[in-house]
Amino acid sequence: MAKKKKKKKRKLTRKGKWVFGIAGGLLFVLMGWFVYRVFVAPTEAEKEAGAFPIRGIDVSKHTGYIDWQKIKGQQVDFAYIKSTEGSTYLDPRFRYNLREAKEAGIPVGVYHFFRFHRSGKEQAENFLNHVNPDELDLPPVVDLEEWGQYNSSKNADSVSIELKIFIDAVEEESDRRVIIYSDKSSFRKYIQGKFEENEIWICSLNGKPAIEQDWVFWQYSHKGKLKGAQGKVDMNIFNGNRDEWEAYLEE
C-alpha cells in the first residue's frame, strides 16, 4: 500500500499573526464591555434611585441567611420582611428575620403575598395569626401582583374586591393604613382608582415610577448585593428626605 503524503502545517505569516492578535484583542474588549454592561454598570433605575437618601430592603426565605448586624452598617434605613402568603403559608425565615432586624435597630415592617385563588378573609386571618402589628415600626403591606399566581386570569374586579376585604380586616386590627405593593401593570389592572386612600409601594425596574397616584416606596432592583445577605435582596427607596422619613416613622 502506498504511503500517504503528510500534509504540511501552514504557519501564520507575520501579517496573519498581527490580524489574529487584533481580532483577539477586540473580542476581549467586547466581552469585557458586555460583562460590565450586564453585571456591573448601574441601571437607569439605580442611577435615579441614588438621588433619594433613604434606602431599604425587602427579604424573604429566598434571600437565605442574613446577618442583620452586618446589614445595619450599609446604609439600610428600613427593612420589609415577608411574613405570610395565601391562607396558610408562613415564610420559614420570618420570625428569625423579624427578631434579628429589630435587634439590629433597623425599622421593620412585614408584608403578605396575596393569592388570587384564596379569599381576602382567609388571607387576613393567616396574616394576623402570625403578625403582631404593635411590634412593627412601619405599616403592614400587601403584595399584589400577577407574577406567580395560580390563576392570573381571574376577573380583575373579583381580585380587587377580595383585596379590599383583606385590607379592611388588617386595618381594623392594626389601626394603620395598609400599603399596597405592586408592579405597574398590576397597579393599573387591580388598584388604580379603587384604593386611593392607601399608600403605594411600586416596583419599577426601568426607571422612576410613572403611575397615576402618589407612591411612598419604590422598588428599583431585584439584584442588590449586601454583605451579610446570602442571596440577592430587593432594593427600595423612600419618597422623601431624611426629615420626612423621621416624621413618617413617628406616624
Side-chain angles (χ1 to χ4, degrees):
M1 183 180 290
K3 292 183 178 179
K4 293 182 180 180
K5 293 182 179 181
K6 292 183 179 179
K7 292 184 179 180
K8 292 183 178 180
K9 294 182 179 179
R10 293 183 179 180
K11 293 184 178 180
L12 285 174
T13 64
R14 183 177 296 176
K15 183 178 180 181
K17 290 179 180 179
W18 182 81
V19 171
F20 184 78
I22 292 293
L26 286 173
L27 180 61
F28 181 80
V29 170
L30 286 172
M31 288 179 64
W33 177 85
F34 175 79
V35 169
Y36 173 77
R37 290 290 296 172
V38 175
F39 299 105
V40 180
T43 64
E44 192 62 31
E46 288 171 334
K47 292 177 184 177
E48 292 179 339
F52 295 85
I54 305 301
R55 184 176 77 158
I57 62 174
D58 63 278
V59 300
S60 70
K61 73 167 186 177
H62 300 294
T63 311
Y65 173 76
I66 301 173
D67 183 331
W68 286 96
Q69 293 295 336
K70 289 182 179 179
I71 295 295
K72 171 66 175 178
Q74 298 173 77
Q75 197 205 334
V76 174
D77 297 293
F78 65 92
Y80 265 99
I81 297 164
K82 182 175 182 179
S83 57
T84 48
E85 178 177 322
S87 58
T88 58
Y89 181 81
L90 174 68
D91 189 290
R93 303 295 298 178
F94 168 60
R95 299 197 188 285
Y96 168 84
N97 283 331
L98 180 63
R99 181 184 69 249
E100 296 298 314
K102 287 177 70 66
E103 287 187 4
I106 300 173
V108 295
V110 301
Y111 73 92
H112 171 89
F113 188 88
F114 194 86
R115 283 292 181 190
F116 289 7
H117 69 298
R118 299 298 184 200
S119 74
K121 181 177 181 294
E122 289 176 308
Q123 297 192 65
E125 289 172 351
N126 184 31
F127 179 77
L128 293 169
N129 281 340
H130 295 289
V131 174
N132 179 1
D134 293 335
E135 292 182 339
L136 308 177
D137 305 295
L138 296 166
V141 168
V142 58
D143 177 346
L144 186 130
E145 52 189 309
E146 289 191 335
W147 179 88
Q149 296 293 345
Y150 298 124
N151 181 11
S152 60
S153 62
K154 191 171 182 178
N155 179 272
D157 288 336
S158 298
V159 172
S160 299
I161 289 169
E162 293 301 329
L163 177 63
K164 181 70 164 58
I165 293 171
F166 173 92
I167 288 174
D168 287 348
V170 173
E171 288 184 345
E172 182 177 356
E173 182 68 24
S174 66
D175 199 30
R176 301 189 78 171
R177 288 284 184 192
V178 170
I179 297 173
I180 304 174
Y181 166 95
S182 190
D183 56 73
K184 289 181 286 187
S185 62
S186 297
F187 169 82
R188 294 191 171 100
K189 187 171 182 180
Y190 302 104
I191 300 164
Q192 182 173 295
K194 301 174 182 177
F195 297 92
E196 294 182 352
E197 293 184 354
N198 294 90
E199 293 180 322
I200 301 300
W201 176 2
I202 196 74
C203 174
S204 178
L205 305 180
N206 298 319
K208 193 174 178 179
I211 58 172
E212 298 76 11
Q213 190 170 335
D214 291 338
W215 50 270
V216 65
F217 294 115
W218 166 26
Q219 184 182 90
Y220 63 88
S221 174
H222 293 323
K223 299 179 179 180
K225 284 297 295 177
L226 295 176
K227 293 177 182 177
Q230 187 176 25
K232 294 177 181 178
V233 297
D234 294 335
M235 304 300 299
N236 307 272
I237 59 89
F238 168 74
N239 190 13
N241 59 35
R242 189 158 294 278
D243 287 340
E244 290 169 327
W245 173 245
E246 295 299 330
Y248 190 78
L249 288 175
E250 295 297 323
E251 291 180 3

